[in-house]
Amino acid sequence: MSITHIPGFPRIGKQRELKKAVEAYWNGDLAESELKEIGKILRARHWQQQADAGLDFVTVGDFSWYDQVLDMSATLGVVPPRFAWPGKSPTEAEPQVDLNTYFRMARGRAPEGKPAHACEMTKWFDTNYHYIVPEFYPEQAFSLCSTKLFDEIAEAQQLGYTVKPVILGPLSYLWLGKVKEGDFDKLNLLDKLLPCYQQILAKLHQQGIEWLQIDEPILVLDLPAAWQAAFQRAYATLQDSTLPNTLLTTYFDDLGNNLSLACQLPVSGLHIDTTRGYTNIATLIEILPGEKILSLGLIDGRNIWKTDLNALIEFLTPIKEKLHDRLWLSTSCSLLHVPVDLEQENKLDPEIKSWLAFATQKLAEIQLLNSALNKGTKKEEKSLQLINDAIESRKNSQRTYSNYVRERVAGINESFVARKLPFPERIRLQHQQVELPLFPTTTIGSFPQTSKVRHIRQEYKQGIISEEVYRQKLKQEIAFAMQKQEALGLDVLVHGEAERNDMVEYFGEQLSGFAFTEHGWVQSYGSRCVKPPIIYGDVARQKPMTLDWISYAQSLTDKPVKGMLTGPVTILNWSFVRNDLPLENICLQIALALRDEVIDLETAGTKIIQIDEAALREGLPLKKQQWAHYLKWAVKSFKVAASGVKDSTQIHTHMCYSEFNDIIQAVAAMDADVITIETSRSDMKLLDAFKDFSYPNDIGPGVYDIHSPNVPTVDEIVNLMHHAKERIPLERLWINPDCGLKTRGWEEVEAALKNMVKAAKLLREQV
Ligand code: GLN
Ligand code: ZN
């Protein structure tokens, strides 16, 4: 049999136990010891699952209270000075980053300790997972400041498991961090960092660890020469025969230019993601030195389709003959990015369910793959036949195909992808239609999803209240949000999205070609999870999706109400997508459905319509070479959705965490009249993108960090806007939070928006 393992398992729990526990702890409803106990139960459960599935190792170090990169920062003592933990400094012997310091770094506050500006958060490669960005300062030191990893290893060993710990490697750790003060090359920190890694390795050795998974996902990026050279240096330093074997682990793409580098590094094994990019694995096998292990990530850790194991066995048989025991079998990446267990989905259409595999099922797929490849008895044959049936049923299903949709996409021409007039003329018409002050204030769309709103939805889903009552109650929530906004004096109002559980799910539920799970949660950041819909077939709109709500909200006020839609690229990027059609084709299908909605909204009198493209950036391929192609179809899809309206109708878009520098041209090419973006956590530094490229349309740089419970002061907001004014002419500036407010409470939201409106008034007076 081959050695089997996984790069990581979801930590959130199949009932989102971790989310609930962590939030209860933050609210003071759970003691630290109780929280820790729940973590322990979850870890034990997930290890048991891996052992039950016959994996040779259980993976330890994938559990986290918030984020695995933040865990690494804690381990390495990388705590920004503003969080200085009480009475201890990193130079003292054996200081520990306690849980409260940890949570303050993650979210600005914790049950104990002073609130402080939370660390920046950004997307983990091209996924919808967000990590906490390590911050580096001029005098940056590194020292082991957390025993979490070692404690968890001991915990797993006590339960009798063979442990393969996972840590983020030194180069990827540095790459993902940011220099916060001073002007130095973060790569220069490597020499100070490596002794810490040596200490970690030595400790693992003491704990009897034979194999360490060391993640270096940046090896799939286009790396500068200095970083490539640093890999050589770092791994030569870490190499020591008395330490654990290291499995250098890469995922999310092929190794590209770094292929020979990765093969030659002095490590004991290499893990690659064969689900992306690898067209010629033979080359890799040829150049991989003969003593090294090759761990193949064959089962897709980013998608939920059953694996065609029969095809894999065909693919693997010659490889196995070459590599024998040097071949390990695995999933492509950590299963963090897929839901935990398909078995709990009782409402899912049985046919569609038969096409799927979640994390738990993927463990079984590895096991079956292993035994079929190495034993191939009758028993395996039978199981493989079942898989084959599922794969065939999906291939041949009528439910995945619509002639009408295919023809419509084929009919998209130039007239679908452009507004009639250029922006300067459009904006004049728009100002005639809707009169707004300088620095218009608005929000990004959602208002707090209170427990009351969630309760209403629960009651409806459980059949306790009728659809009519449900809608009535939601209207009351909308009316409440409208009243609040009027009282606050905001200029462009929103209905608040009370009817939406999630900005993608809401649309998916109304479009054909989508399927939904009940428990298919995937961690997005910290305690926050999303439940991505599954696009299994051609996408079409059945009927208007948002019209009633927006019209109702507009009927309550004389101020303009923004229509609110999720854009095609975001719907695509935040769904599990069928793998039998090119992405761009699926995206255009969605764009056409949204285009119909946009036109319906305009016809009903909506003068401002926002099409969120929160996830545009994260869909960027990891290799620059492929960017142009992606951006071309992404921009085109947005324009197909947005361009069906009159020039006097104002199109807004919103993007989260958009680091624009490298895609600013594409963002401008989308030609939205107004764009709102994330900038507050980075102190408007993201606006540096506008130094060399003057963004032509209106822009609202976020001034209120909605990912933190802290309320920004009037001064802070005014200051941020002063920075913004240095880059963007003030006639084109809007004032808004940096994302939707659904995760916040009303009290903080009201206080923050009040300050925002006050700041706008002050700024207007200063003009
Ligand atoms: N309109 C959405 C909201 O406010 C946008 C959310 C997002 O960008 N993630 O919730
Ligand atoms: Zn956002």
PDB file of all heavy atoms in Angstrom, residues 148-167:
ATOM      1  N   LYS A 148       1.553  26.063  21.326  1.00  0.00           N
ATOM      2  CA  LYS A 148       0.317  25.458  20.818  1.00  0.00           C
ATOM      3  C   LYS A 148       0.587  24.222  19.952  1.00  0.00           C
ATOM      4  O   LYS A 148       0.027  23.151  20.175  1.00  0.00           O
ATOM      5  CB  LYS A 148      -0.475  26.513  20.040  1.00  0.00           C
ATOM      6  CG  LYS A 148      -1.731  25.998  19.389  1.00  0.00           C
ATOM      7  CD  LYS A 148      -2.481  27.129  18.684  1.00  0.00           C
ATOM      8  CE  LYS A 148      -3.635  26.611  17.867  1.00  0.00           C
ATOM      9  NZ  LYS A 148      -3.246  25.873  16.675  1.00  0.00           N
ATOM     10  N   LEU A 149       1.472  24.385  18.972  1.00  0.00           N
ATOM     11  CA  LEU A 149       1.743  23.274  18.059  1.00  0.00           C
ATOM     12  C   LEU A 149       2.254  22.050  18.820  1.00  0.00           C
ATOM     13  O   LEU A 149       1.768  20.937  18.631  1.00  0.00           O
ATOM     14  CB  LEU A 149       2.758  23.703  16.995  1.00  0.00           C
ATOM     15  CG  LEU A 149       3.195  22.596  16.035  1.00  0.00           C
ATOM     16  CD1 LEU A 149       2.045  22.169  15.120  1.00  0.00           C
ATOM     17  CD2 LEU A 149       4.392  23.026  15.195  1.00  0.00           C
ATOM     18  N   PHE A 150       3.219  22.294  19.701  1.00  0.00           N
ATOM     19  CA  PHE A 150       3.834  21.172  20.421  1.00  0.00           C
ATOM     20  C   PHE A 150       2.822  20.515  21.373  1.00  0.00           C
ATOM     21  O   PHE A 150       2.801  19.304  21.533  1.00  0.00           O
ATOM     22  CB  PHE A 150       5.080  21.653  21.168  1.00  0.00           C
ATOM     23  CG  PHE A 150       5.960  22.514  20.292  1.00  0.00           C
ATOM     24  CD1 PHE A 150       6.091  23.885  20.525  1.00  0.00           C
ATOM     25  CD2 PHE A 150       6.608  21.966  19.187  1.00  0.00           C
ATOM     26  CE1 PHE A 150       6.869  24.681  19.696  1.00  0.00           C
ATOM     27  CE2 PHE A 150       7.384  22.755  18.347  1.00  0.00           C
ATOM     28  CZ  PHE A 150       7.523  24.117  18.598  1.00  0.00           C
ATOM     29  N   ASP A 151       1.977  21.337  21.964  1.00  0.00           N
ATOM     30  CA  ASP A 151       0.941  20.792  22.852  1.00  0.00           C
ATOM     31  C   ASP A 151      -0.041  19.913  22.074  1.00  0.00           C
ATOM     32  O   ASP A 151      -0.446  18.842  22.531  1.00  0.00           O
ATOM     33  CB  ASP A 151       0.155  21.930  23.521  1.00  0.00           C
ATOM     34  CG  ASP A 151       1.042  22.796  24.404  1.00  0.00           C
ATOM     35  OD1 ASP A 151       2.154  22.333  24.741  1.00  0.00           O
ATOM     36  OD2 ASP A 151       0.638  23.933  24.731  1.00  0.00           O
ATOM     37  N   GLU A 152      -0.396  20.386  20.895  1.00  0.00           N
ATOM     38  CA  GLU A 152      -1.371  19.616  20.112  1.00  0.00           C
ATOM     39  C   GLU A 152      -0.767  18.317  19.600  1.00  0.00           C
ATOM     40  O   GLU A 152      -1.457  17.297  19.482  1.00  0.00           O
ATOM     41  CB  GLU A 152      -1.926  20.473  18.968  1.00  0.00           C
ATOM     42  CG  GLU A 152      -2.862  21.557  19.502  1.00  0.00           C
ATOM     43  CD  GLU A 152      -3.338  22.567  18.462  1.00  0.00           C
ATOM     44  OE1 GLU A 152      -3.038  22.391  17.268  1.00  0.00           O
ATOM     45  OE2 GLU A 152      -4.023  23.533  18.868  1.00  0.00           O
ATOM     46  N   ILE A 153       0.529  18.361  19.307  1.00  0.00           N
ATOM     47  CA  ILE A 153       1.197  17.123  18.888  1.00  0.00           C
ATOM     48  C   ILE A 153       1.160  16.112  20.045  1.00  0.00           C
ATOM     49  O   ILE A 153       0.779  14.955  19.859  1.00  0.00           O
ATOM     50  CB  ILE A 153       2.652  17.406  18.477  1.00  0.00           C
ATOM     51  CG1 ILE A 153       2.665  18.210  17.163  1.00  0.00           C
ATOM     52  CG2 ILE A 153       3.449  16.113  18.329  1.00  0.00           C
ATOM     53  CD1 ILE A 153       4.023  18.768  16.784  1.00  0.00           C
ATOM     54  N   ALA A 154       1.509  16.610  21.231  1.00  0.00           N
ATOM     55  CA  ALA A 154       1.497  15.721  22.395  1.00  0.00           C
ATOM     56  C   ALA A 154       0.094  15.150  22.622  1.00  0.00           C
ATOM     57  O   ALA A 154      -0.079  13.970  22.937  1.00  0.00           O
ATOM     58  CB  ALA A 154       1.967  16.478  23.634  1.00  0.00           C
ATOM     59  N   GLU A 155      -0.882  16.007  22.423  1.00  0.00           N
ATOM     60  CA  GLU A 155      -2.276  15.594  22.601  1.00  0.00           C
ATOM     61  C   GLU A 155      -2.631  14.448  21.632  1.00  0.00           C
ATOM     62  O   GLU A 155      -3.228  13.442  22.036  1.00  0.00           O
ATOM     63  CB  GLU A 155      -3.120  16.830  22.298  1.00  0.00           C
ATOM     64  CG  GLU A 155      -4.571  16.771  22.643  1.00  0.00           C
ATOM     65  CD  GLU A 155      -5.215  18.125  22.265  1.00  0.00           C
ATOM     66  OE1 GLU A 155      -4.785  19.163  22.813  1.00  0.00           O
ATOM     67  OE2 GLU A 155      -6.117  18.124  21.413  1.00  0.00           O
ATOM     68  N   ALA A 156      -2.224  14.598  20.373  1.00  0.00           N
ATOM     69  CA  ALA A 156      -2.528  13.558  19.382  1.00  0.00           C
ATOM     70  C   ALA A 156      -1.752  12.285  19.679  1.00  0.00           C
ATOM     71  O   ALA A 156      -2.268  11.179  19.526  1.00  0.00           O
ATOM     72  CB  ALA A 156      -2.201  14.060  17.972  1.00  0.00           C
ATOM     73  N   GLN A 157      -0.512  12.463  20.121  1.00  0.00           N
ATOM     74  CA  GLN A 157       0.294  11.276  20.428  1.00  0.00           C
ATOM     75  C   GLN A 157      -0.288  10.509  21.605  1.00  0.00           C
ATOM     76  O   GLN A 157      -0.320   9.291  21.616  1.00  0.00           O
ATOM     77  CB  GLN A 157       1.740  11.694  20.710  1.00  0.00           C
ATOM     78  CG  GLN A 157       2.452  12.129  19.432  1.00  0.00           C
ATOM     79  CD  GLN A 157       3.822  12.725  19.699  1.00  0.00           C
ATOM     80  OE1 GLN A 157       4.044  13.319  20.753  1.00  0.00           O
ATOM     81  NE2 GLN A 157       4.736  12.597  18.744  1.00  0.00           N
ATOM     82  N   GLN A 158      -0.790  11.283  22.586  1.00  0.00           N
ATOM     83  CA  GLN A 158      -1.397  10.615  23.736  1.00  0.00           C
ATOM     84  C   GLN A 158      -2.606   9.786  23.319  1.00  0.00           C
ATOM     85  O   GLN A 158      -2.921   8.781  23.916  1.00  0.00           O
ATOM     86  CB  GLN A 158      -1.830  11.650  24.764  1.00  0.00           C
ATOM     87  CG  GLN A 158      -0.865  11.737  25.917  1.00  0.00           C
ATOM     88  CD  GLN A 158      -0.985  13.044  26.651  1.00  0.00           C
ATOM     89  OE1 GLN A 158      -2.070  13.620  26.744  1.00  0.00           O
ATOM     90  NE2 GLN A 158       0.124  13.537  27.173  1.00  0.00           N
ATOM     91  N   LEU A 159      -3.266  10.240  22.257  1.00  0.00           N
ATOM     92  CA  LEU A 159      -4.422   9.486  21.776  1.00  0.00           C
ATOM     93  C   LEU A 159      -3.990   8.318  20.891  1.00  0.00           C
ATOM     94  O   LEU A 159      -4.814   7.583  20.366  1.00  0.00           O
ATOM     95  CB  LEU A 159      -5.362  10.415  21.005  1.00  0.00           C
ATOM     96  CG  LEU A 159      -6.053  11.498  21.847  1.00  0.00           C
ATOM     97  CD1 LEU A 159      -6.764  12.519  20.955  1.00  0.00           C
ATOM     98  CD2 LEU A 159      -7.046  10.874  22.818  1.00  0.00           C
ATOM     99  N   GLY A 160      -2.679   8.208  20.694  1.00  0.00           N
ATOM    100  CA  GLY A 160      -2.163   7.038  19.989  1.00  0.00           C
ATOM    101  C   GLY A 160      -1.961   7.209  18.494  1.00  0.00           C
ATOM    102  O   GLY A 160      -1.767   6.235  17.774  1.00  0.00           O
ATOM    103  N   TYR A 161      -2.017   8.425  18.005  1.00  0.00           N
ATOM    104  CA  TYR A 161      -1.886   8.615  16.556  1.00  0.00           C
ATOM    105  C   TYR A 161      -0.436   8.840  16.131  1.00  0.00           C
ATOM    106  O   TYR A 161       0.356   9.379  16.899  1.00  0.00           O
ATOM    107  CB  TYR A 161      -2.710   9.832  16.106  1.00  0.00           C
ATOM    108  CG  TYR A 161      -4.173   9.707  16.405  1.00  0.00           C
ATOM    109  CD1 TYR A 161      -4.800  10.606  17.273  1.00  0.00           C
ATOM    110  CD2 TYR A 161      -4.932   8.695  15.823  1.00  0.00           C
ATOM    111  CE1 TYR A 161      -6.152  10.493  17.558  1.00  0.00           C
ATOM    112  CE2 TYR A 161      -6.284   8.576  16.102  1.00  0.00           C
ATOM    113  CZ  TYR A 161      -6.889   9.481  16.976  1.00  0.00           C
ATOM    114  OH  TYR A 161      -8.213   9.372  17.254  1.00  0.00           O
ATOM    115  N   THR A 162      -0.164   8.479  14.887  1.00  0.00           N
ATOM    116  CA  THR A 162       1.108   8.854  14.276  1.00  0.00           C
ATOM    117  C   THR A 162       0.920  10.235  13.673  1.00  0.00           C
ATOM    118  O   THR A 162       0.063  10.434  12.818  1.00  0.00           O
ATOM    119  CB  THR A 162       1.493   7.858  13.171  1.00  0.00           C
ATOM    120  OG1 THR A 162       1.444   6.554  13.721  1.00  0.00           O
ATOM    121  CG2 THR A 162       2.883   8.151  12.635  1.00  0.00           C
ATOM    122  N   VAL A 163       1.742  11.153  14.138  1.00  0.00           N
ATOM    123  CA  VAL A 163       1.497  12.559  13.817  1.00  0.00           C
ATOM    124  C   VAL A 163       2.426  13.059  12.721  1.00  0.00           C
ATOM    125  O   VAL A 163       3.633  12.821  12.760  1.00  0.00           O
ATOM    126  CB  VAL A 163       1.712  13.422  15.085  1.00  0.00           C
ATOM    127  CG1 VAL A 163       1.637  14.906  14.730  1.00  0.00           C
ATOM    128  CG2 VAL A 163       0.684  13.064  16.149  1.00  0.00           C
ATOM    129  N   LYS A 164       1.835  13.783  11.781  1.00  0.00           N
ATOM    130  CA  LYS A 164       2.630  14.577  10.843  1.00  0.00           C
ATOM    131  C   LYS A 164       2.220  16.024  11.054  1.00  0.00           C
ATOM    132  O   LYS A 164       1.122  16.428  10.682  1.00  0.00           O
ATOM    133  CB  LYS A 164       2.317  14.154   9.401  1.00  0.00           C
ATOM    134  CG  LYS A 164       3.050  14.969   8.342  1.00  0.00           C
ATOM    135  CD  LYS A 164       2.278  15.024   7.024  1.00  0.00           C
ATOM    136  CE  LYS A 164       0.915  15.654   7.237  1.00  0.00           C
ATOM    137  NZ  LYS A 164       0.088  15.743   6.059  1.00  0.00           N
ATOM    138  N   PRO A 165       3.043  16.816  11.750  1.00  0.00           N
ATOM    139  CA  PRO A 165       2.654  18.209  11.967  1.00  0.00           C
ATOM    140  C   PRO A 165       2.781  19.014  10.680  1.00  0.00           C
ATOM    141  O   PRO A 165       3.524  18.626   9.781  1.00  0.00           O
ATOM    142  CB  PRO A 165       3.663  18.720  12.993  1.00  0.00           C
ATOM    143  CG  PRO A 165       4.583  17.595  13.288  1.00  0.00           C
ATOM    144  CD  PRO A 165       4.351  16.501  12.326  1.00  0.00           C
ATOM    145  N   VAL A 166       2.061  20.121  10.634  1.00  0.00           N
ATOM    146  CA  VAL A 166       2.208  21.035   9.505  1.00  0.00           C
ATOM    147  C   VAL A 166       2.545  22.426  10.023  1.00  0.00           C
ATOM    148  O   VAL A 166       1.964  22.890  11.001  1.00  0.00           O
ATOM    149  CB  VAL A 166       0.936  21.079   8.625  1.00  0.00           C
ATOM    150  CG1 VAL A 166      -0.320  21.268   9.449  1.00  0.00           C
ATOM    151  CG2 VAL A 166       1.018  22.207   7.582  1.00  0.00           C
ATOM    152  N   ILE A 167       3.525  23.048   9.387  1.00  0.00           N
ATOM    153  CA  ILE A 167       3.805  24.464   9.663  1.00  0.00           C
ATOM    154  C   ILE A 167       3.983  25.195   8.337  1.00  0.00           C
ATOM    155  O   ILE A 167       4.266  24.578   7.316  1.00  0.00           O
ATOM    156  CB  ILE A 167       5.073  24.685  10.536  1.00  0.00           C
ATOM    157  CG1 ILE A 167       6.312  24.092   9.853  1.00  0.00           C
ATOM    158  CG2 ILE A 167       4.899  24.119  11.917  1.00  0.00           C
ATOM    159  CD1 ILE A 167       7.611  24.449  10.575  1.00  0.00           C
TER     160      ILE A 167
END
